[in-house]
Amino acid sequence: MSRKIQITGISAEDLVYNKRPVKKNAVVAFGMAGNNWKHLMRTSVDETGGDYPVWEDKLETEFSSGKELPTVMYVEVSCRSSGEDKRVGTARVPVKDFTGEYAPEGFLHCLSYRLWDEYGKRNGIVNFSVRIVPTKSDLKSGLRPFWLR
Amino acid sequence: MGNCLNGDMKGGKQAIGGVQQRPTSTTAVANNAALNDAVDFFFRSRGQYPLFSQIELTLSASNLIDCDITSKSDPMAVMYLRKKDGKLEEIGRTEVILNSLNPSWIEKITVSFQFEVVQTLVFHVYDVDTRFHNVPVKTLKLKDQDFLGEATCVLSEIMTRPNRTVTLSLTGNNTAGVNRNLGTLSVLAEETIASKTVAEINFRCVNLDNKDLFSKSDPFLRISRIVESNAAVPICRTEVVDNNLNPIWRPVCLTMQQFGSKDTPLVIECFDFNTSGNHELIGRTEKSVAELERLCRQKEAANFVYPSLSHGRNKVLKGQLIVDRFVEKVQYSFLDYISSGFELNFMVAVDFTASNGDPRTPSSLHYIDPSGRSNSYQQAIMEVGEVIQFYDSDKRFPAWGFGGRTSNGIVSHAFNLNGASYGDEVVGVEGIMAAYASALRNVALAGPTLFSHVVDKAANIASQSLSQNSPKYYVLLIITDGVLTDMAGTVDALVRASDLPLSVLIVGVGNTDFKQMEMLDADNGRRLESSTGRIATRDIVQFVPMKDIHSGQVSVVQALLEELPGQFLSYVRSRNINPLGAPAI
C-alpha cells in the first residue's frame, strides 16, 4: 500500500556560504534516506531572495509503507551558481515527526529545522510543510475533520 | 525610527510594522502598554492584529413602558462601562427617537473590545422630556429624565454569539415591590469594517543615489500616513538591504487601519541606513494606496524627489520606486473566528514543588490564609480564568499539578489536581480553586520543576481534538514559582507542541530570577530549538512574572492574554483556515 506525501518547501533563513550571506539562487531538495539521490525532489530556484529565499513550491511523492519505512528525510538547501549546486546546509528530519505520532494523519505539519553545513556548524533554518495524504478509506467516515488542514 | 544602538544592529535593520507574520517569522512582537501616543500608534499597527478592536454597538429596544400621558415615550439609551471599583463611566449615548416604544437607534456607540479584560456594559434607557427635544443629546442631564430601565451584560458575551446580538431584559433601578415588565433591549456588535482589508505590496527600487563613501547605500523604506494636522505618522518600515542601489524588499503587509483609506496620501521615504542612527534621506514620494495599485497594474515607476533646502523646486531624482506586486485581501480578526464557533479550551497546571515553601507557613506561596486573602496561585487562577471562561463553551477544565508526591508515594509531574483517578476535569473556575485547595492537603511538595509532562499532556489533548469536526484551540496555564530543572526537556516538549493549536501561558509567582522563562517566551526573536534540531514552528509561549505586574499598572491578565489572539491567528492564518461559514479567500 503506498501513501502519498505532499511537501511544500516554504522558505529558509540566514543562509551563509563562504562566510558571506547567500546572495541568490537558493533551492531546496528533499530526499528519503536509503533512496539514491536521484529521487530527490527539488523546488524551483529563488533568484531574488538572497539569504531569505521563499519558494512555496508543492512537491509530491509516494512511499510504500510495508516495506522498510525510511526513518529519516534529508532536506538540503543549495545555492545554484555557475551551473552547479553548492551545498549550503542540510537538515535531518526524523520521519516520525510527521507520520502521525503527534497529530492525526492528514494533518498539515508546518515544520522548521536547523541547517548544518558540511563542517557541522549551524547555518540557518529551513521551513517547510509536510502532509500525508489520507487514503480514500480514511475519508469514508463522512465528515472531513475541520482542523486537519 | 527603531533602536539603532551599536549592539543590536540586526534588530535595528529589521522590518517594523506591516510585515506579514508567517508562523516561521522571527520578527518580535512588542506589545507593551505604550507611554505616549506616537509610540502607541507606531507599535499598535502591526500587520497581525490590533491590540484591541473598535466595536460599534447598535441598540434597539422593544416593549418599553409608556411614561408620557398623551403620547408614547421618547427613548434614548446611554451606555456605561462598569469600572473595577463599581463606578460607572459613560461611554456614549444614542439619539432620541420620538414617540416610540420599540425604538431602533441609529447612532452607534463605539467601544474598544479588549480581549484580556472583563468589560461589563451597563445600559440605561431614559424617556426624554419634551422640553429637551432638539437639544444636543450630549448635554441632556440624565437626572432630569424619566428612567425606563437598566440592563447589564459583558462585552465578550456579545462577541461570542454567532450573530453577535444579545437581548437583555430591562430591570428597574429601585427595588420597589412588583417587578413590572419593563421591556427588552437588544445589542448588536460589529467590528468596524476597516480593520479587515489588508494590502500586500512588493516594493523595489532602481537607480538609487549612493550615500556611502566606500560602499553602496543600505536602503530601506519608511511609509507614513498624513493625518489632518499635516503631520506624518509612520506606519511601517521595511528591512534594510545592505550595499545595494537596486534593492528588493520582502513584501509589506498594511492593514486598512494603518493606511486609513485607499485614497489617503502616504509618504514613502527611502533612507540610507547608518549605524549611528542618523539615516540619510535618499528620496521621497507621495502616493496613496490606490495609486500604488495603479503603478503595479500599469507597470509604471514613480520617481523619488529630494526636498530642496531652499524654497525652490524639489529635485527629481533618477531613483525610482517600483511596485512589483499588489494584492488586496481580507484578513479575518480574532473576533471573527471566535464568534463563528471556534472554541478556546483552558487547562491549568500548578507548581507543587518544595521551593514554594511549606504550605502551613505564612511565607509559603501556597499558604491558604484563614482570613480569606488569596495567595498568588489563587489570584492567578481567578484572574485569567474569569476571562477565559467566557470563551470555553462547556467550562470543564483539565487541571493538573506537577512536582508533588501524591498519596501513592510517587512524585508525579502531571497528576490530576482533583485527586480523582477517573479524569482530570473540574468544572468552572470554582472547581479549579476547590481542587487546588484539596490537593494542597493531600499532596506533599517535592520536586524537581519540570514542565515537559504537562506540556505533553496538553499537546496530546490538542492533537486528539484535530480529528473532531469542531475547531478548538487550547490554552495551557502554568503557574510556577521557580527555576526549571530540565530546560532541554521542556524546550523539546514546547517545540513538539508548536505546530498544534495550543498556547502556553506561564505565570511566575515569587521572587526568583525568571531568566529561563524569558528564554522560553522567545519574544526577542530567537526561536526555540530542540535537541533533535527541530525548531519551533511558532512562538506559543507567553510569560509574565507576577511581581512585575503588581508594581506596574498592567494587570496579570492584560499582560498574559495580549499575545493569545496573535498566537491563535498565527495558527489559523498559516493554514488558511477561515472562520466557520466565511467565504474562502
Side-chain angles (χ1 to χ4, degrees):
Chain A
M1 185 184 58
S2 79
R3 309 300 301 275
K4 276 208 214 142
I5 314 184
Q6 285 173 343
I7 310 182
T8 307
I10 302 182
S11 65
E13 299 167 29
D14 295 336
L15 301 174
V16 171
Y17 187 73
N18 266 345
K19 295 193 189 147
R20 263 171 290 173
V22 166
K23 285 247 161 177
K24 54 181 180 170
N25 292 345
V27 69
V28 65
F30 300 87
M32 296 294 180
N35 283 348
N36 301 332
W37 285 105
K38 285 190 249 160
H39 290 301
L40 275 185
M41 298 168 288
R42 282 204 164 75
T43 63
S44 57
V45 175
D46 179 2
E47 284 159 16
T48 53
D51 68 335
Y52 192 108
V54 174
W55 299 288
E56 304 269 6
D57 267 356
K58 274 201 173 62
L59 307 159
E60 250 188 50
T61 187
E62 284 193 19
F63 73 93
S64 31
S65 53
K67 290 199 293 179
E68 28 176 289
L69 260 181
T71 50
V72 172
M73 179 172 78
Y74 284 102
V75 182
E76 187 186 85
V77 175
S78 1
C79 168
R80 183 166 295 171
S81 67
S82 40
E84 56 164 340
D85 280 354
K86 303 208 172 78
R87 240 192 322 181
V88 172
T90 314
R92 234 175 130 261
V93 178
V95 162
K96 69 174 168 61
D97 277 359
F98 55 85
T99 51
E101 247 191 47
Y102 302 116
E105 255 191 16
F107 180 65
L108 180 71
H109 291 86
C110 298
L111 303 173
S112 304
Y113 282 85
R114 165 71 59 200
L115 291 168
W116 304 89
D117 67 10
E118 51 213 9
Y119 303 110
K121 286 188 19 211
R122 291 185 156 82
N123 191 5
I125 299 175
V126 64
N127 308 307
F128 60 95
S129 69
V130 187
R131 184 169 169 252
I132 302 201
V133 180
T135 57
K136 290 259 172 18
S137 57
D138 291 339
L139 294 176
K140 252 194 224 144
S141 55
L143 302 163
R144 182 160 172 269
F146 186 93
W147 253 163
L148 281 189
R149 307 253 216 105
Chain B
M1 186 161 9
N3 300 322
C4 301
L5 309 170
N6 279 328
D8 186 21
M9 274 277 288
K10 192 154 181 224
K13 288 188 178 181
Q14 292 222 339
I16 300 182
V19 178
Q20 173 86 349
Q21 289 293 333
R22 303 164 153 278
T24 52
S25 139
T26 54
T27 40
V29 177
N31 284 336
N32 311 315
L35 299 169
N36 63 58
D37 283 341
V39 175
D40 179 60
F41 190 93
F42 191 89
F43 282 116
R44 189 151 52 93
S45 44
R46 298 261 152 194
Q48 316 157 275
Y49 73 99
L51 271 180
F52 47 80
S53 304
Q54 290 293 104
I55 304 290
E56 273 177 336
L57 298 175
T58 311
L59 303 177
S60 60
S62 55
N63 296 328
L64 295 175
I65 55 171
D66 203 341
C67 273
D68 292 346
I69 305 176
T70 50
S71 63
K72 304 205 192 96
S73 301
D74 308 306
M76 174 187 80
V78 183
M79 189 178 96
Y80 303 89
L81 204 56
R82 178 168 288 144
K83 315 272 290 282
K84 280 208 167 126
D85 51 359
K87 296 211 191 78
L88 298 178
E89 176 192 308
E90 184 177 322
I91 302 292
R93 319 182 161 183
T94 62
E95 76 276 31
V96 179
I97 292 197
L98 297 176
N99 217 10
S100 166
L101 296 180
N102 296 298
S104 295
W105 289 285
I106 298 177
E107 270 285 308
K108 316 223 181 294
I109 305 181
T110 314
V111 67
S112 34
F113 173 53
Q114 293 172 305
F115 170 69
E116 65 272 11
V117 175
V118 176
Q119 293 169 293
T120 309
L121 304 175
V122 178
F123 301 95
H124 286 180
V125 184
Y126 290 93
D127 171 33
V128 177
D129 208 299
T130 340
R131 53 195 160 112
F132 294 114
H133 293 170
N134 292 325
V135 161
V137 168
K138 269 188 115 43
T139 60
L140 292 174
K141 287 214 180 20
L142 297 175
K143 54 181 169 47
D144 295 333
Q145 318 303 333
D146 294 322
F147 180 77
L148 289 180
E150 176 189 49
T152 312
C153 75
V154 179
L155 184 52
S156 43
E157 204 184 295
I158 311 181
M159 300 311 296
T160 48
R161 301 281 181 102
N163 47 2
R164 305 250 185 117
T165 315
V166 70
T167 306
L168 311 161
S169 297
L170 291 167
T171 58
N173 212 356
N174 36 357
T175 52
V178 180
N179 245 344
R180 294 163 64 190
N181 184 1
L182 297 172
T184 60
L185 179 75
S186 293
V187 186
L188 164 72
E190 287 168 304
E191 238 182 324
T192 47
I193 302 290
S195 54
K196 288 215 220 312
T197 315
V198 159
E200 198 174 272
I201 313 176
N202 284 44
F203 284 113
R204 174 163 71 95
C205 283
V206 290
N207 295 330
L208 291 177
D209 290 339
N210 196 351
K211 297 282 180 188
D212 285 347
L213 256 184
F214 296 111
S215 61
K216 303 196 195 128
S217 300
D218 309 306
F220 67 93
L221 292 178
R222 185 175 77 176
I223 305 183
S224 314
R225 182 161 72 101
I226 302 184
V227 293
E228 299 88 57
S229 50
N230 269 339
V233 178
I235 54 178
C236 94
R237 184 188 111 163
T238 64
E239 78 278 13
V240 176
V241 176
D242 285 327
N243 215 14
N244 196 329
L245 297 180
N246 298 300
I248 304 176
W249 290 283
R250 289 182 220 150
V252 167
C253 200
L254 297 175
T255 66
M256 198 170 242
Q257 267 187 343
Q258 288 172 290
F259 59 78
S261 77
K262 283 182 83 169
D263 297 311
T264 315
L266 298 178
V267 176
I268 305 174
E269 292 160 304
C270 186
F271 289 93
D272 171 32
F273 181 85
N274 281 326
T275 46
S276 63
N278 291 330
H279 310 300
E280 228 183 304
L281 176 70
I282 299 179
R284 72 202 290 273
T285 177
E286 256 186 52
K287 294 277 169 228
S288 69
V289 172
E291 286 172 323
L292 291 175
E293 188 182 18
R294 194 178 49 85
L295 283 181
C296 177
R297 222 185 17 238
Q298 297 174 348
K299 298 209 194 300
E300 286 171 5
N303 278 66
F304 281 116
V305 296
Y306 193 86
S308 72
L309 302 152
S310 57
H311 293 295
R313 290 202 350 216
N314 292 337
K315 179 178 164 198
V316 175
L317 303 170
K318 267 202 307 254
Q320 294 180 317
L321 177 72
I322 300 176
V323 180
D324 273 336
R325 188 171 148 266
F326 184 98
V327 177
E328 206 176 303
K329 43 189 181 175
V330 173
Q331 233 180 20
Y332 293 105
S333 67
F334 177 69
L335 294 173
D336 289 333
Y337 288 94
I338 296 296
S339 65
S340 77
F342 277 60
E343 285 173 35
L344 289 185
N345 284 349
F346 179 50
M347 303 174 276
V348 193
V350 180
D351 185 329
F352 276 80
T353 58
S355 45
N356 286 300
D358 186 346
R360 289 165 295 187
T361 60
S363 61
S364 162
L365 291 167
H366 277 305
Y367 179 61
I368 304 258
D369 193 341
S371 67
R373 206 171 78 98
S374 312
N375 62 28
S376 311
Y377 284 94
Q378 289 169 318
Q379 226 179 331
I381 297 174
M382 293 280 316
E383 286 189 28
V384 182
E386 209 185 6
V387 179
I388 288 281
Q389 250 194 155
F390 284 108
Y391 296 93
D392 190 321
S393 60
D394 59 2
K395 311 210 191 307
R396 304 183 69 88
F397 313 122
W400 307 300
F402 60 92
R405 179 171 288 119
T406 50
S407 45
N408 54 9
I410 310 178
V411 174
S412 163
H413 292 284
F415 60 87
N416 294 344
L417 206 61
N418 56 11
S421 49
Y422 51 81
D424 49 16
E425 285 185 341
V426 297
V427 180
V429 178
E430 319 79 54
I432 308 177
M433 300 293 278
Y436 167 70
S438 83
L440 272 183
R441 289 192 293 269
N442 300 326
V443 173
L445 304 187
T449 316
L450 299 177
F451 294 166
S452 44
H453 294 227
V454 291
V455 172
D456 280 339
K457 259 198 145 141
N460 209 10
I461 297 182
S463 82
Q464 278 175 358
S465 84
L466 290 169
S467 333
Q468 292 162 15
N469 210 23
S470 63
K472 293 188 185 122
Y473 191 86
Y474 290 85
V475 180
L476 169 65
L477 174 72
I478 303 181
I479 316 176
T480 177
D481 77 314
V483 181
L484 274 182
T485 322
D486 182 13
M487 187 66 167
T490 305
V491 170
D492 281 359
L494 287 170
V495 170
R496 279 198 298 271
S498 64
D499 199 24
L500 297 169
L502 172 68
S503 279
V504 178
L505 307 185
I506 308 179
V507 179
V509 300
N511 288 319
T512 357
D513 171 19
F514 288 111
K515 222 192 301 269
Q516 286 180 317
M517 303 294 155
E518 278 158 15
M519 261 181 60
L520 293 179
D521 195 347
D523 270 352
N524 55 3
R526 294 180 62 87
R527 293 157 68 180
L528 294 180
E529 188 168 334
S530 81
S531 48
T532 60
R534 181 169 162 201
I535 298 195
T537 310
R538 48 194 254 276
D539 171 22
I540 61 170
V541 181
Q542 172 65 8
F543 168 68
V544 173
M546 286 274 268
K547 66 175 188 275
D548 280 5
I549 298 311
H550 285 155
S551 58
Q553 302 105 333
V554 183
S555 73
V556 177
V557 164
Q558 280 174 313
L560 269 180
L561 298 184
E562 267 179 22
E563 270 193 31
L564 181 55
Q567 290 175 357
F568 173 89
L569 287 175
S570 77
Y571 181 84
V572 293
R573 284 189 184 152
S574 67
R575 288 153 192 285
N576 292 321
I577 298 176
N578 291 332
L580 292 172
I585 299 172

